[in-house]
Amino acid sequence: MEKRVVCAQRLEDADVAVIGGGTAGCFAAIAAAASGARTVLIEKNAALGGTITTGGVNFPGLFYAWGQQIIDGPCWRVIQEVAQLGGAVIPDMNQPIKTHWKMQIRLNPFLYEQAVYRMCREYQVKIRLHSMLAGATETETGAEMLLAEKDGLKLLSARRVIDATGDANLVSMLGYPVEKSESLQPATLAAWLAGYSPEVLQKESLLPMLKKAEAEGKLPLWMTGEKAYGILEKGWTDFHISCPENADSSAGKTLLEQDARAQIEKYLSCVRQLPGLEKIFVSHFAGECGVRETVRIQGEYQITRQDYISGRRLEDAVCYAFYPVDLHVPQGVFPEQLQPGIVPSVPYRALIPKNSRFLLACGRCISSDTQANSALRVQATCMAEGQAAGCAAALAARMDCDMVRLPYADLCAQLKNIGAIIPA
C-alpha cells in the first residue's frame, strides 16, 4: 500500500503572531500592527471577539473607575465606533461600585465584530480563522507553530508570539509551566428562551412549584427555585455548569459543552410542566460556553489578591484593572468590593511566562492567584492587557531583545502612542 507523507505548507513569516482572536487577542494583534509589526492573528472559531461574539457575554466592563476613564486605546475606539452606529449602550459611569454590573457596556455583537475587522484592516493585521494551534517549538530567533486548518497543516514562524488562547495552550506547548486552582470556577452557557410570555408570569404560583422541583432534584445541579424563576423573568440562562479539570483541552471542552446543553434541557424539561410554560424552548444559544477559569501561567511576577485589593502600583504597571474580586462558586457569586479610590493595575512581568525569551500571554491566563484572577479575567481588563502585550511584542521584535529585557520606558511610550492609559 502506498504511504502518503503529510507535509505542512509554510506561511509567510511574521514579526508577531497572536494565537487566539478573542477579547484580549484582537487588541494584542491590533496594537502590535499599530506599532509597526507584521502581525498574524490566529483564531479557531468562525468569528473574532471571543466571549463577546461567540460566548454570549456582550457586555464588557469596566472602562471607568470612580468616575474616571482608566482604559483607552484601540479597544475603546472600537466601542465608540459601535456606539456611533447605534450598537452600544454606554451607561452612566458614575454608578456605585456595588452595582458594578450596571457599568458594563451592552454591545451588538455583529457590529462589534465588524468594527474589530475594520480596525484589523486599517493596521493590516493578517487574520486566519478556522485555524487551530497544533504544535509549537522555540527557535533561535522566535517560535515556529504548526496550525491545523481546513485545507491542511501550515507552518508559521514568528519572531515574537502572544498566547491569547485563554487556556495558555501555546505556553504549555512550548514547555513553560502553568498552574490551576484546586477547584475551578464553574462555566456558563448563555441561551435565550422563547415560547412563553415573561410579562404574564405569576410568581406567587410558579415559585412554590419551582422550589418543590428543587427539593425533588428535578432542576440542574446547584439551581435553586429562586434562580429558576429569575431565568424565566430574564428570558435567558446564566446558571453555573461544572467545569472539568481538563477544560483547557479539547477533550475537556467537549465534555463541558455537552454537559451544558444537557443541563439546559433538564431545566426546560422541568419548567415545561408548569402552567404557561408548556411550549418553552431555546430560540438561540452561544456558540461555546463562557469559561471563567482553566489555567494560569507562572509568570515573572504573580499578581496576588493583596496586590489587587490594595491597588498596589508596581514599577512596571502597563494597564489598569477595575472589578470586584468576583470568585464564582457553584452555589453563587460573592463579590469582594474594592475600597473607595482603589484602582488596581497589571504589571508587565505578569504577562511573561517565567524564563521565556520570545513569549507573552494575555487574557484570563495571566500570572495571578485565584482571587486576583477572578477580577482580572473580565473583558475590559483583558483588552487592555492585550494592547500592552501587542506593543511589547512589536517593540521586542524591532529591538531584537528578550521580552523581559524590553525597556519599560519604551513600552510606555508606545502604549501612549496608540492612545492607551498608563497607570500613574
Side-chain angles (χ1 to χ4, degrees):
M1 181 181 295
E2 181 183 355
K3 293 183 178 180
R4 298 184 61 189
V5 178
V6 178
C7 296
Q9 176 188 351
R10 182 168 289 279
L11 302 175
E12 182 182 355
D13 292 354
D15 294 324
V16 176
V18 180
I19 310 300
T23 313
C26 286
F27 296 103
I30 287 168
S35 301
R38 296 172 301 151
T39 305
V40 178
L41 177 58
I42 306 299
E43 169 54 36
K44 64 181 174 61
N45 287 323
L48 297 180
T51 50
I52 292 177
T53 55
T54 62
V57 188
N58 58 318
F59 35 91
L62 300 173
F63 293 85
Y64 278 70
W66 313 113
Q68 298 293 318
Q69 186 171 4
I70 58 166
I71 294 175
D72 203 341
C75 63
W76 186 248
R77 281 174 49 203
V78 163
I79 287 172
Q80 288 180 308
E81 180 180 332
V82 176
Q84 290 170 0
L85 295 171
V89 178
I90 301 178
D92 175 10
M93 294 301 183
N94 291 302
Q95 300 282 346
I97 184 59
K98 289 185 179 180
T99 55
H100 59 274
W101 55 273
K102 291 184 179 180
M103 295 166 64
Q104 293 171 324
I105 297 169
R106 298 283 166 170
L107 292 175
N108 178 297
F110 180 81
L111 292 177
Y112 172 79
E113 185 191 11
Q114 293 308 302
V116 170
Y117 279 131
R118 280 191 290 274
M119 190 168 285
C120 284
R121 288 194 293 270
E122 176 185 349
Y123 292 111
Q124 300 180 18
V125 175
K126 294 183 179 179
I127 300 168
R128 301 188 75 90
L129 301 179
H130 299 288
S131 183
M132 180 173 279
L133 183 69
T137 185
E138 287 190 311
T139 67
E140 290 295 323
T141 57
E144 186 169 83
M145 289 144 290
L146 181 66
L147 308 176
E149 298 193 341
K150 290 175 66 64
D151 54 339
L153 299 175
K154 308 293 170 65
L155 278 174
L156 172 64
S157 292
R159 300 178 64 197
R160 299 297 180 270
V161 287
I162 299 174
D163 187 330
T165 63
D167 300 317
N169 294 134
L170 176 59
V171 172
S172 297
M173 285 183 185
L174 290 175
Y176 295 100
V178 296
E179 59 186 40
K180 290 185 180 181
S181 303
E182 290 185 8
S183 177
L184 296 182
Q185 295 178 74
T188 293
L189 177 64
W192 288 262
L193 308 177
Y196 71 105
S197 300
E199 64 274 8
V200 299
L201 294 176
Q202 298 294 320
K203 185 173 183 178
E204 62 276 8
S205 60
L206 290 178
L207 186 55
M209 298 179 191
L210 290 168
K211 288 184 175 180
K212 182 173 182 292
E214 175 192 353
E216 294 173 349
K218 295 180 179 178
L219 290 173
L221 190 62
W222 305 309
M223 183 180 286
T224 65
E226 288 278 0
K227 180 69 173 177
Y229 183 79
I231 288 171
L232 295 172
E233 283 188 317
K234 292 182 296 186
W236 62 283
T237 65
D238 61 349
F239 59 88
H240 292 165
I241 308 294
S242 296
C243 198
E245 288 187 7
N246 61 339
D248 52 318
S249 70
S250 290
K253 284 294 293 291
T254 298
L255 291 174
L256 174 61
E257 302 291 359
Q258 290 177 326
D259 184 42
R261 288 151 179 78
Q263 293 302 317
I264 290 175
E265 183 56 34
K266 181 175 182 178
Y267 171 76
L268 294 177
S269 296
C270 176
V271 299
R272 283 193 190 106
Q273 309 305 311
L274 306 182
L277 297 166
E278 295 87 354
K279 296 183 179 181
I280 190 171
F281 65 94
V282 171
S283 59
H284 61 289
F285 60 95
E288 60 181 343
C289 281
V291 176
R292 294 181 173 87
E293 176 188 13
T294 54
V295 304
R296 303 180 301 277
I297 68 168
Q298 291 184 13
E300 293 290 341
Y301 184 87
Q302 183 187 64
I303 306 169
T304 66
R305 170 189 170 276
Q306 187 58 36
D307 289 336
Y308 190 85
I309 65 171
S310 68
R312 180 185 178 195
R313 191 77 71 249
L314 295 163
E315 66 273 11
D316 60 339
V318 288
C319 67
Y320 284 114
F322 191 63
Y323 211 76
V325 171
D326 194 44
L327 194 65
H328 285 58
V329 296
Q331 296 78 12
V333 190
F334 306 95
E336 180 181 358
Q337 306 293 346
L338 294 167
Q339 294 301 308
I342 294 294
V343 185
S345 61
V346 177
Y348 172 57
R349 286 168 294 161
L351 309 180
I352 308 174
K354 198 166 187 177
N355 298 321
S356 67
R357 298 183 60 198
F358 311 122
L359 176 62
L360 293 174
C362 58
R364 60 177 167 83
C365 67
I366 68 166
S367 183
S368 49
D369 66 19
T370 300
Q371 298 285 333
N373 189 261
S374 72
L376 292 165
R377 61 174 170 74
V378 299
Q379 291 167 329
T381 303
C382 288
M383 292 175 182
E385 293 167 8
Q387 291 178 163
C391 287
L395 286 175
R398 184 191 312 162
M399 296 179 175
D400 195 23
C401 67
D402 292 357
M403 302 309 311
V404 74
R405 298 189 183 281
L406 182 69
Y408 176 65
D410 290 354
L411 176 54
C412 288
Q414 184 54 36
L415 283 166
K416 290 179 181 177
N417 189 48
I418 67 167
I421 295 173
I422 310 298

